Protein backbone atom coordinates (compact mmCIF):
# COMPACT_ATOMS: atom_id res chain seq x y z
CA UNK A 1 0.00 0.00 0.00
CA UNK A 2 2.69 2.46 1.03
CA UNK A 3 4.82 1.59 -2.02
CA UNK A 4 1.81 2.23 -4.25
CA UNK A 5 1.37 5.68 -2.77
CA UNK A 6 4.96 6.49 -3.70
CA UNK A 7 4.31 5.74 -7.38
CA UNK A 8 5.05 8.79 -9.61
CA UNK A 9 1.52 8.71 -11.02
CA UNK A 10 0.16 9.33 -7.52
CA UNK A 11 2.27 12.50 -7.22
CA UNK A 12 1.13 13.60 -10.67
CA UNK A 13 -2.51 12.94 -9.79
CA UNK A 14 -2.20 14.94 -6.56
CA UNK A 15 -0.70 17.92 -8.40
CA UNK A 16 -3.50 17.83 -10.98
CA UNK A 17 -6.09 17.47 -8.21
CA UNK A 18 -4.79 20.69 -6.63
CA UNK A 19 -5.69 22.56 -9.81
CA UNK A 20 -9.08 21.02 -10.66
CA UNK A 21 -11.22 22.97 -8.15
CA UNK A 22 -10.05 26.22 -9.70
CA UNK A 23 -10.78 24.92 -13.21
CA UNK A 24 -14.36 24.20 -12.12
CA UNK A 25 -14.70 27.62 -10.47
CA UNK A 26 -13.39 29.38 -13.57
CA UNK A 27 -15.48 27.34 -16.02
CA UNK A 28 -18.74 27.87 -14.10
CA UNK A 29 -18.01 31.47 -13.13
CA UNK A 30 -18.55 30.71 -9.44
CA UNK A 31 -18.01 33.32 -6.76
CA UNK A 32 -16.16 31.79 -3.81
CA UNK A 33 -15.84 35.01 -1.90
CA UNK A 34 -12.53 36.67 -1.09
CA UNK A 35 -10.92 33.97 1.02
CA UNK A 36 -12.22 31.15 -1.17
CA UNK A 37 -10.88 32.80 -4.31
CA UNK A 38 -7.44 33.35 -2.81
CA UNK A 39 -7.28 29.80 -1.47
CA UNK A 40 -8.53 28.19 -4.69
CA UNK A 41 -6.31 30.18 -7.04
CA UNK A 42 -3.30 29.88 -4.70
CA UNK A 43 -3.58 26.10 -4.47
CA UNK A 44 -3.95 25.95 -8.25
CA UNK A 45 -0.73 27.94 -8.69
CA UNK A 46 0.99 25.55 -6.29
CA UNK A 47 -0.11 22.57 -8.36
CA UNK A 48 0.82 24.37 -11.57
CA UNK A 49 4.36 24.94 -10.33
CA UNK A 50 4.81 21.19 -9.86
CA UNK A 51 3.35 20.40 -13.28
CA UNK A 52 5.58 22.96 -15.01
CA UNK A 53 8.70 21.68 -13.27
CA UNK A 54 7.96 18.05 -14.14
CA UNK A 55 7.06 18.83 -17.76
CA UNK A 56 10.22 20.90 -18.17
CA UNK A 57 12.48 18.16 -16.81
CA UNK A 58 10.75 15.51 -18.91
CA UNK A 59 11.16 17.61 -22.07
CA UNK A 60 14.95 17.47 -21.75
CA UNK A 61 14.86 14.02 -23.35
CA UNK A 62 13.30 15.25 -26.61
CA UNK A 63 14.66 18.72 -27.32
CA UNK A 64 18.17 19.96 -28.13
CA UNK A 65 20.14 20.52 -24.96
CA UNK A 66 20.82 24.19 -25.74
CA UNK A 67 17.11 24.84 -26.21
CA UNK A 68 16.27 22.93 -23.04
CA UNK A 69 18.65 24.91 -20.84
CA UNK A 70 17.53 28.29 -22.16
CA UNK A 71 13.79 27.65 -22.20
CA UNK A 72 13.49 25.52 -19.08
CA UNK A 73 15.16 28.24 -17.04
CA UNK A 74 12.34 30.60 -17.99
CA UNK A 75 9.71 27.98 -17.21
CA UNK A 76 11.20 27.42 -13.77
CA UNK A 77 10.30 30.98 -12.74
CA UNK A 78 7.09 31.25 -14.80
CA UNK A 79 4.56 31.29 -11.91
CA UNK A 80 6.63 33.80 -9.97
CA UNK A 81 7.21 35.88 -13.09
CA UNK A 82 3.48 35.90 -13.84
CA UNK A 83 2.76 37.76 -10.59
CA UNK A 84 5.55 40.25 -11.25
CA UNK A 85 4.42 40.74 -14.84
CA UNK A 86 0.85 41.33 -13.68
CA UNK A 87 1.91 44.32 -11.60
CA UNK A 88 4.44 45.62 -14.14
CA UNK A 89 1.69 45.53 -16.77
CA UNK A 90 -0.71 47.27 -14.41
CA UNK A 91 1.79 50.07 -13.81
CA UNK A 92 2.42 50.58 -17.53
CA UNK A 93 -1.22 50.35 -18.62
CA UNK A 94 -2.16 53.09 -16.14
CA UNK A 95 0.58 55.44 -17.32
CA UNK A 96 2.61 55.23 -14.11
CA UNK A 97 5.84 56.89 -15.25
CA UNK A 98 8.48 58.27 -12.91
CA UNK A 99 7.45 61.86 -13.68
CA UNK A 100 3.72 61.16 -13.28
CA UNK A 101 4.18 59.26 -10.00
CA UNK A 102 6.24 62.13 -8.60
CA UNK A 103 3.11 64.29 -8.85
CA UNK A 104 0.90 61.78 -7.03
CA UNK A 105 0.57 62.41 -3.31
CA UNK A 106 1.17 59.51 -0.88
CA UNK A 107 -2.20 60.29 0.70
CA UNK A 108 -3.97 59.66 -2.63
CA UNK A 109 -2.14 56.37 -3.11
CA UNK A 110 -3.07 55.28 0.42
CA UNK A 111 -6.71 56.19 -0.16
CA UNK A 112 -6.87 54.44 -3.54
CA UNK A 113 -5.26 51.27 -2.22
CA UNK A 114 -7.95 51.06 0.47
CA UNK A 115 -10.74 51.23 -2.14
CA UNK A 116 -12.26 48.10 -3.71
CA UNK A 117 -10.60 47.64 -7.09
CA UNK A 118 -13.81 48.24 -9.02
CA UNK A 119 -14.33 51.65 -7.43
CA UNK A 120 -11.06 53.12 -8.76
CA UNK A 121 -12.20 54.96 -11.87
CA UNK A 122 -10.94 58.54 -12.17
CA UNK A 123 -7.75 59.21 -14.15
CA UNK A 124 -5.87 60.41 -11.08
CA UNK A 125 -6.98 57.42 -9.02
CA UNK A 126 -5.95 55.01 -11.78
CA UNK A 127 -2.55 56.69 -11.98
CA UNK A 128 -2.11 56.38 -8.22
CA UNK A 129 -3.04 52.70 -8.43
CA UNK A 130 -0.54 52.24 -11.27
CA UNK A 131 2.25 53.79 -9.18
CA UNK A 132 1.31 51.42 -6.36
CA UNK A 133 1.42 48.43 -8.71
CA UNK A 134 4.89 49.40 -9.93
CA UNK A 135 6.06 49.22 -6.32
CA UNK A 136 4.32 45.86 -5.87
CA UNK A 137 6.22 44.43 -8.86
CA UNK A 138 9.48 45.25 -7.08
CA UNK A 139 8.16 44.00 -3.74
CA UNK A 140 7.19 40.62 -5.17
CA UNK A 141 10.51 40.22 -6.98
CA UNK A 142 12.63 41.09 -3.95
CA UNK A 143 10.51 38.95 -1.64
CA UNK A 144 10.85 35.90 -3.88
CA UNK A 145 14.62 36.29 -4.07
CA UNK A 146 15.04 36.74 -0.33
CA UNK A 147 12.76 33.77 0.46
CA UNK A 148 14.80 31.58 -1.88
CA UNK A 149 17.98 32.31 0.13
CA UNK A 150 16.69 32.97 3.64
CA UNK A 151 14.36 29.97 3.72
CA UNK A 152 15.46 27.94 0.70
CA UNK A 153 19.24 27.81 0.99
CA UNK A 154 19.20 27.79 4.80
CA UNK A 155 16.33 25.31 5.14
CA UNK A 156 17.78 22.84 2.66
CA UNK A 157 21.11 22.99 4.53
CA UNK A 158 19.36 22.11 7.82
CA UNK A 159 17.39 19.33 6.15
CA UNK A 160 20.46 17.90 4.41
CA UNK A 161 22.47 17.60 7.62
CA UNK A 162 19.48 16.14 9.47
CA UNK A 163 18.83 13.57 6.73
CA UNK A 164 22.50 12.61 6.55
CA UNK A 165 22.06 10.55 9.73
CA UNK A 166 19.89 8.22 7.65
CA UNK A 167 21.19 8.66 4.09
CA UNK A 168 24.91 8.80 4.90
CA UNK A 169 25.16 11.56 2.30
CA UNK A 170 28.86 11.78 1.32
CA UNK A 171 28.53 15.55 0.85
CA UNK A 172 27.90 16.04 4.59
CA UNK A 173 30.91 16.24 6.90
CA UNK A 174 30.51 15.73 10.63
CA UNK A 175 32.72 18.08 12.62
CA UNK A 176 33.16 18.65 16.35
CA UNK A 177 31.67 21.82 17.80
CA UNK A 178 28.34 23.58 18.08
CA UNK A 179 26.40 23.21 14.79
CA UNK A 180 29.72 22.69 13.01
CA UNK A 181 28.58 19.95 10.59
CA UNK A 182 28.91 21.20 7.05
CA UNK A 183 27.89 20.41 3.49
CA UNK A 184 30.46 20.24 0.70
CA UNK A 185 29.22 21.72 -2.56
CA UNK A 186 30.07 20.76 -6.12
CA UNK A 187 32.89 22.94 -7.49
CA UNK A 188 31.17 22.92 -10.88
CA UNK A 189 28.74 25.52 -9.49
CA UNK A 190 31.59 28.04 -9.68
CA UNK A 191 30.13 29.37 -12.95
CA UNK A 192 26.76 29.99 -11.30
CA UNK A 193 28.42 31.61 -8.27
CA UNK A 194 30.55 33.88 -10.45
CA UNK A 195 27.62 35.08 -12.58
CA UNK A 196 25.44 35.48 -9.49
CA UNK A 197 28.20 37.61 -7.99
CA UNK A 198 28.28 39.85 -11.08
CA UNK A 199 24.48 40.15 -11.14
CA UNK A 200 24.49 41.02 -7.43
CA UNK A 201 27.05 43.77 -7.94
CA UNK A 202 24.90 45.25 -10.70
CA UNK A 203 21.75 45.04 -8.58
CA UNK A 204 23.24 47.56 -6.15
CA UNK A 205 23.24 50.06 -9.04
CA UNK A 206 19.66 49.47 -10.21
CA UNK A 207 17.97 51.98 -7.82
CA UNK A 208 20.45 54.69 -8.83
CA UNK A 209 18.92 54.75 -12.33
CA UNK A 210 15.50 55.82 -11.04
CA UNK A 211 13.88 52.50 -11.92
CA UNK A 212 14.35 49.33 -13.94
CA UNK A 213 15.31 50.28 -17.48
CA UNK A 214 16.86 49.06 -20.69
CA UNK A 215 20.41 49.12 -19.31
CA UNK A 216 19.35 46.74 -16.53
CA UNK A 217 17.70 44.56 -19.18
CA UNK A 218 20.85 44.43 -21.31
CA UNK A 219 23.21 43.78 -18.40
CA UNK A 220 21.17 41.23 -16.43
CA UNK A 221 19.75 39.29 -19.37
CA UNK A 222 23.14 39.60 -21.07
CA UNK A 223 24.76 37.96 -18.05
CA UNK A 224 22.26 35.15 -18.19
CA UNK A 225 22.77 34.59 -21.93
CA UNK A 226 26.54 34.48 -21.40
CA UNK A 227 26.05 31.96 -18.60
CA UNK A 228 23.82 29.81 -20.81
CA UNK A 229 26.38 29.82 -23.63
CA UNK A 230 29.10 28.68 -21.25
CA UNK A 231 26.95 25.89 -19.81
CA UNK A 232 25.82 24.73 -23.26
CA UNK A 233 29.28 24.58 -24.79
CA UNK A 234 31.20 23.67 -21.68
CA UNK A 235 29.07 20.63 -20.74
CA UNK A 236 29.38 21.53 -17.07
CA UNK A 237 26.25 19.94 -15.66
CA UNK A 238 27.47 16.88 -13.83
CA UNK A 239 24.17 15.47 -12.57
CA UNK A 240 21.28 15.21 -15.01
CA UNK A 241 19.72 12.03 -13.64
CA UNK A 242 16.03 12.56 -12.89
CA UNK A 243 13.85 10.92 -10.27
CA UNK A 244 10.15 10.63 -9.54
CA UNK A 245 7.63 11.94 -12.06
CA UNK A 246 10.15 13.17 -14.70
CA UNK A 247 11.99 9.83 -14.63
CA UNK A 248 8.69 7.95 -15.03
CA UNK A 249 7.51 10.12 -17.91
CA UNK A 250 10.87 9.96 -19.69
CA UNK A 251 10.59 6.16 -19.69
CA UNK A 252 7.32 6.28 -21.67
CA UNK A 253 7.17 5.80 -25.47
CA UNK A 254 8.13 8.97 -27.32
CA UNK A 255 4.69 9.87 -28.76
CA UNK A 256 3.00 9.49 -25.38
CA UNK A 257 5.81 11.36 -23.63
CA UNK A 258 5.67 14.33 -26.02
CA UNK A 259 1.88 14.49 -25.85
CA UNK A 260 2.03 14.47 -22.05
CA UNK A 261 4.62 17.25 -21.93
CA UNK A 262 2.71 19.45 -24.39
CA UNK A 263 -0.50 18.81 -22.48
CA UNK A 264 1.09 19.77 -19.15
CA UNK A 265 2.56 22.94 -20.67
CA UNK A 266 -0.79 23.96 -22.18
CA UNK A 267 -2.71 23.19 -19.00
CA UNK A 268 -0.17 25.05 -16.84
CA UNK A 269 -0.29 28.08 -19.14
CA UNK A 270 -4.08 28.16 -18.90
CA UNK A 271 -3.93 28.03 -15.09
CA UNK A 272 -1.35 30.81 -14.89
CA UNK A 273 -3.48 33.02 -17.15
CA UNK A 274 -6.64 32.47 -15.13
CA UNK A 275 -5.39 32.12 -11.53
CA UNK A 276 -2.59 34.64 -11.05
CA UNK A 277 -4.65 37.84 -11.19
CA UNK A 278 -7.40 36.79 -8.73
CA UNK A 279 -4.75 35.30 -6.44
CA UNK A 280 -2.55 38.40 -6.33
CA UNK A 281 -5.35 40.95 -6.13
CA UNK A 282 -7.21 38.78 -3.64
CA UNK A 283 -4.14 38.70 -1.40
CA UNK A 284 -4.09 42.49 -1.43
CA UNK A 285 -7.72 42.64 -0.36
CA UNK A 286 -7.23 39.98 2.33
CA UNK A 287 -4.33 41.98 3.74
CA UNK A 288 -6.32 45.19 3.81
CA UNK A 289 -9.24 43.49 5.55
CA UNK A 290 -6.83 42.26 8.25
CA UNK A 291 -4.96 45.53 8.53
CA UNK A 292 -1.87 44.07 6.84
CA UNK A 293 -0.21 46.22 4.14
CA UNK A 294 -0.58 44.89 0.61
CA UNK A 295 3.19 45.13 0.20
CA UNK A 296 3.65 42.54 2.93
CA UNK A 297 1.15 40.13 1.38
CA UNK A 298 2.58 40.40 -2.14
CA UNK A 299 6.18 40.36 -1.00
CA UNK A 300 6.07 37.46 1.45
CA UNK A 301 2.87 35.43 0.99
CA UNK A 302 2.47 35.37 -2.81
CA UNK A 303 5.97 33.98 -3.57
CA UNK A 304 5.45 31.02 -1.25
CA UNK A 305 3.03 29.38 -3.70
CA UNK A 306 5.52 29.50 -6.57
CA UNK A 307 8.69 28.82 -4.57
CA UNK A 308 7.36 25.88 -2.51
CA UNK A 309 7.38 23.23 -5.29
CA UNK A 310 11.00 23.90 -6.12
CA UNK A 311 12.00 23.60 -2.47
CA UNK A 312 10.02 20.37 -2.16
CA UNK A 313 11.74 18.91 -5.24
CA UNK A 314 15.15 19.77 -3.76
CA UNK A 315 14.10 18.23 -0.44
CA UNK A 316 13.23 15.01 -2.28
CA UNK A 317 16.70 14.95 -3.83
CA UNK A 318 18.19 15.38 -0.36
CA UNK A 319 16.24 12.39 0.97
CA UNK A 320 17.87 10.33 -1.79
CA UNK A 321 21.38 11.46 -0.68
CA UNK A 322 21.64 13.72 -3.74
CA UNK A 323 22.24 16.99 -1.92
CA UNK A 324 24.81 18.06 -4.53
CA UNK A 325 22.16 17.98 -7.25
CA UNK A 326 19.73 19.74 -4.90
CA UNK A 327 22.07 22.62 -4.15
CA UNK A 328 23.04 22.94 -7.82
CA UNK A 329 19.35 23.30 -8.64
CA UNK A 330 18.51 25.88 -6.00
CA UNK A 331 21.59 28.02 -6.70
CA UNK A 332 20.80 27.99 -10.42
CA UNK A 333 17.25 29.08 -9.59
CA UNK A 334 18.56 32.09 -7.71
CA UNK A 335 20.62 33.06 -10.75
CA UNK A 336 17.55 32.71 -12.99
CA UNK A 337 15.44 34.94 -10.76
CA UNK A 338 18.15 37.50 -10.10
CA UNK A 339 18.75 38.03 -13.82
CA UNK A 340 15.70 37.12 -15.93
CA UNK A 341 13.06 38.13 -13.39
CA UNK A 342 14.48 41.62 -12.81
CA UNK A 343 15.82 42.34 -16.28
CA UNK A 344 12.69 41.59 -18.30
CA UNK A 345 10.18 43.51 -16.16
CA UNK A 346 10.92 46.65 -18.19
CA UNK A 347 9.79 44.81 -21.34
CA UNK A 348 6.35 44.04 -19.89
CA UNK A 349 6.03 47.54 -18.47
CA UNK A 350 6.98 49.20 -21.78
CA UNK A 351 4.56 47.03 -23.77
CA UNK A 352 1.73 48.06 -21.46
CA UNK A 353 2.82 51.70 -21.56
CA UNK A 354 2.83 51.68 -25.37
CA UNK A 355 6.38 53.01 -25.58
CA UNK A 356 9.70 52.52 -23.90
CA UNK A 357 9.71 53.53 -20.25
CA UNK A 358 11.62 52.91 -17.04
CA UNK A 359 9.60 50.95 -14.46
CA UNK A 360 9.43 53.40 -11.53
CA UNK A 361 9.45 52.63 -7.83
CA UNK A 362 9.65 54.57 -4.57
CA UNK A 363 12.57 55.03 -2.19
CA UNK A 364 11.27 52.22 0.02
CA UNK A 365 11.46 49.77 -2.88
CA UNK A 366 14.98 50.97 -3.64
CA UNK A 367 15.77 49.86 -0.11
CA UNK A 368 14.17 46.48 -0.83
CA UNK A 369 16.47 46.02 -3.83
CA UNK A 370 19.54 47.02 -1.82
CA UNK A 371 18.79 44.63 1.06
CA UNK A 372 18.07 41.81 -1.42
CA UNK A 373 21.40 42.44 -3.17
CA UNK A 374 23.16 42.61 0.21
CA UNK A 375 21.63 39.29 1.32
CA UNK A 376 22.81 37.71 -1.94
CA UNK A 377 26.28 39.20 -1.38
CA UNK A 378 26.47 37.69 2.12
CA UNK A 379 25.12 34.31 0.96
CA UNK A 380 27.76 34.15 -1.79
CA UNK A 381 30.45 34.91 0.79
CA UNK A 382 29.22 31.87 2.74
CA UNK A 383 29.38 29.59 -0.31
CA UNK A 384 32.57 30.87 -1.93
CA UNK A 385 34.63 28.14 -0.23
CA UNK A 386 32.19 25.48 -1.51
CA UNK A 387 31.07 24.64 2.01
CA UNK A 388 28.09 25.62 4.13
CA UNK A 389 27.90 24.79 7.83
CA UNK A 390 24.75 24.52 9.91
CA UNK A 391 25.96 27.50 11.91
CA UNK A 392 26.28 29.64 8.78
CA UNK A 393 22.87 28.55 7.52
CA UNK A 394 21.40 29.49 10.89
CA UNK A 395 22.83 33.02 10.64
CA UNK A 396 21.35 33.33 7.14
CA UNK A 397 17.95 32.18 8.39
CA UNK A 398 17.90 34.33 11.54
CA UNK A 399 18.84 37.50 9.68
CA UNK A 400 16.05 36.91 7.18
CA UNK A 401 13.35 36.02 9.70
CA UNK A 402 14.24 38.78 12.16
CA UNK A 403 14.02 41.48 9.49
CA UNK A 404 10.61 40.26 8.32
CA UNK A 405 9.36 39.95 11.90
CA UNK A 406 10.50 43.44 12.86
CA UNK A 407 8.91 44.87 9.73
CA UNK A 408 5.60 43.14 10.40
CA UNK A 409 5.30 43.50 14.16
CA UNK A 410 7.25 46.44 15.49
CA UNK A 411 7.08 48.97 12.70
CA UNK A 412 3.31 48.98 12.88
CA UNK A 413 3.36 50.35 16.43
CA UNK A 414 6.79 51.96 16.80
CA UNK A 415 7.99 54.65 14.40
CA UNK A 416 11.07 56.43 15.75
CA UNK A 417 12.04 57.75 12.31
CA UNK A 418 10.10 59.54 9.56
CA UNK A 419 10.79 56.58 7.28
CA UNK A 420 11.02 53.63 9.71
CA UNK A 421 10.90 50.82 7.17
CA UNK A 422 13.59 52.36 4.97
CA UNK A 423 15.79 52.79 8.05
CA UNK A 424 15.25 49.11 8.93
CA UNK A 425 16.11 47.99 5.39
CA UNK A 426 19.29 50.06 5.37
CA UNK A 427 20.31 48.73 8.78
CA UNK A 428 20.05 45.13 7.61
CA UNK A 429 21.73 46.01 4.33
CA UNK A 430 24.69 47.32 6.32
CA UNK A 431 24.78 44.15 8.46
CA UNK A 432 24.80 41.91 5.39
CA UNK A 433 27.49 44.01 3.70
CA UNK A 434 29.77 44.12 6.76
CA UNK A 435 29.49 40.37 7.35
CA UNK A 436 29.85 39.55 3.67
CA UNK A 437 32.86 41.80 3.17
CA UNK A 438 34.59 40.35 6.24
CA UNK A 439 34.06 36.85 4.87
CA UNK A 440 35.24 37.76 1.38
CA UNK A 441 38.42 39.29 2.82
CA UNK A 442 39.01 36.16 4.88
CA UNK A 443 38.22 33.90 1.93
CA UNK A 444 39.77 36.00 -0.81
CA UNK A 445 41.76 33.01 -2.11
CA UNK A 446 38.52 31.13 -2.54
CA UNK A 447 36.88 34.05 -4.36
CA UNK A 448 39.81 34.21 -6.78
CA UNK A 449 39.50 30.45 -7.23
CA UNK A 450 35.78 30.67 -8.04
CA UNK A 451 36.40 33.40 -10.61
CA UNK A 452 39.31 31.42 -12.07
CA UNK A 453 37.12 28.32 -12.40
CA UNK A 454 34.43 30.37 -14.14
CA UNK A 455 37.04 31.84 -16.51
CA UNK A 456 38.31 28.32 -17.20
CA UNK A 457 34.77 27.23 -18.08
CA UNK A 458 34.38 30.23 -20.40
CA UNK A 459 37.66 29.51 -22.19
CA UNK A 460 36.75 25.86 -22.60
CA UNK A 461 33.31 26.82 -23.93
CA UNK A 462 35.01 29.07 -26.49
CA UNK A 463 37.03 26.10 -27.73
CA UNK A 464 40.32 27.31 -26.27
CA UNK A 465 42.76 25.04 -24.49
CA UNK A 466 42.67 25.65 -20.78
CA UNK A 467 44.06 24.05 -17.65
CA UNK A 468 41.66 23.67 -14.77
CA UNK A 469 42.91 25.91 -11.94
CA UNK A 470 43.59 24.51 -8.49
CA UNK A 471 43.07 26.28 -5.18
CA UNK A 472 46.35 28.02 -4.29
CA UNK A 473 48.00 27.38 -0.94
Amino acid sequence: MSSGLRHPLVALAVAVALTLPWVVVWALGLDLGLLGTVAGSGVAILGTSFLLAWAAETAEKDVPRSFAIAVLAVLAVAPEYAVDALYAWGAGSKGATEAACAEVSPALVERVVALPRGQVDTAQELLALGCHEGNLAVANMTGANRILIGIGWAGIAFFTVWQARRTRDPAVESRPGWLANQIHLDRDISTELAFLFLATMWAFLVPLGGGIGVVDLLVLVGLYVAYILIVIRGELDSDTHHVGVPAYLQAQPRPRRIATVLGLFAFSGFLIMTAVEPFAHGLEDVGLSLGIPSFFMIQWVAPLASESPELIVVAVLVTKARSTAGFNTIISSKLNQWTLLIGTLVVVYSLALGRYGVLPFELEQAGEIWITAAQSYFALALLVNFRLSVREALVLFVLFVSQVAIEFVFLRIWEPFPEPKFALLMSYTAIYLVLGTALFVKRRRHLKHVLALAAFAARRAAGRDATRPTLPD
Side-chain angles (χ1 to χ4, degrees), residues 223-270:
L223 282 173
Y224 188 77
V225 170
Y227 159 71
I228 287 295
L229 291 176
I230 291 174
V231 173
I232 291 171
R233 298 176 183 177
E235 299 291 334
L236 291 180
D237 55 333
S238 59
D239 192 347
T240 57
H241 176 67
H242 297 294
V243 296
V245 174
Y248 176 81
L249 294 179
Q250 285 185 345
Q252 301 304 306
R254 190 168 187 269
R256 183 189 305 170
R257 182 174 65 244
I258 292 177
T260 301
V261 168
L262 293 178
L264 290 175
F265 280 153
F267 185 57
S268 299
F270 157 75

Side-chain angles (χ1 to χ4, degrees), residues 60 64-77 188 190-196 198 219-237 328-329 331-337 339-340 454 457-462:
E60 292 184 39
R65 183 168 175 270
S66 58
F67 178 83
I69 292 173
V71 175
L72 303 187
V74 179
L75 292 173
V77 298
D188 280 346
S190 57
T191 303
E192 284 82 354
L193 294 180
F195 275 91
L196 186 52
L198 294 175
V219 171
L220 293 173
V221 176
L223 282 173
Y224 188 77
V225 170
Y227 159 71
I228 287 295
L229 291 176
I230 291 174
V231 173
I232 291 171
R233 298 176 183 177
E235 299 291 334
L236 291 180
D237 55 333
N328 287 2
T329 298
I331 291 170
S332 296
S333 296
K334 169 64 178 179
L335 177 60
N336 296 349
Q337 290 191 178
T339 52
L340 294 177
R459 289 193 298 270
R460 190 173 68 171

Side-chain angles (χ1 to χ4, degrees), residues 40 49 65 87 95 105 109 115 163 176 184 216-217 229 241 256 285 364 371 380 382 387 389 396 472:
S49 299
R65 183 168 175 270
Y87 287 114
S105 69
V109 174
L115 291 173
Q163 281 288 308
H184 289 263
D216 303 308
L217 167 69
L229 291 176
H241 176 67
R256 183 189 305 170
D285 293 337
E364 186 177 289
I371 189 177
L380 286 169
L382 293 177
R387 294 192 295 270
S389 71
L396 201 60

Side-chain angles (χ1 to χ4, degrees), residues 301-327:
V301 179
L304 290 176
S306 55
E307 299 291 356
S308 295
E310 188 167 29
L311 299 180
I312 293 172
V313 170
V314 173
V316 170
L317 290 173
V318 169
T319 62
K320 299 179 181 295
R322 298 180 63 216
S323 60
T324 295
F327 271 96

Side-chain angles (χ1 to χ4, degrees), residues 80 83-84 87-88 131-147 212 284 293-303 337-338 341-342 345 359-362 364-369 371-372 400 407 421 425:
E80 179 61 42
V83 178
D84 260 339
Y87 287 114
C131 297
H132 175 68
E133 290 181 329
N135 289 322
L136 287 179
V138 175
N140 184 256
M141 176 269 293
T142 54
N145 274 278
R146 300 223 293 280
I147 285 173
I212 301 174
E284 290 184 66
S294 55
F295 283 112
F296 190 90
M297 299 295 288
I298 297 303
Q299 186 170 43
W300 303 121
V301 179
Q337 290 191 178
W338 207 213
L341 196 60
I342 304 175
L345 284 180
L359 176 65
F361 48 79
E362 296 175 349
E364 186 177 289
Q365 300 312 309
E368 296 284 3
I369 292 176
I371 189 177
T372 306
F400 169 75
E407 176 185 333
K421 183 178 177 181
L425 295 174

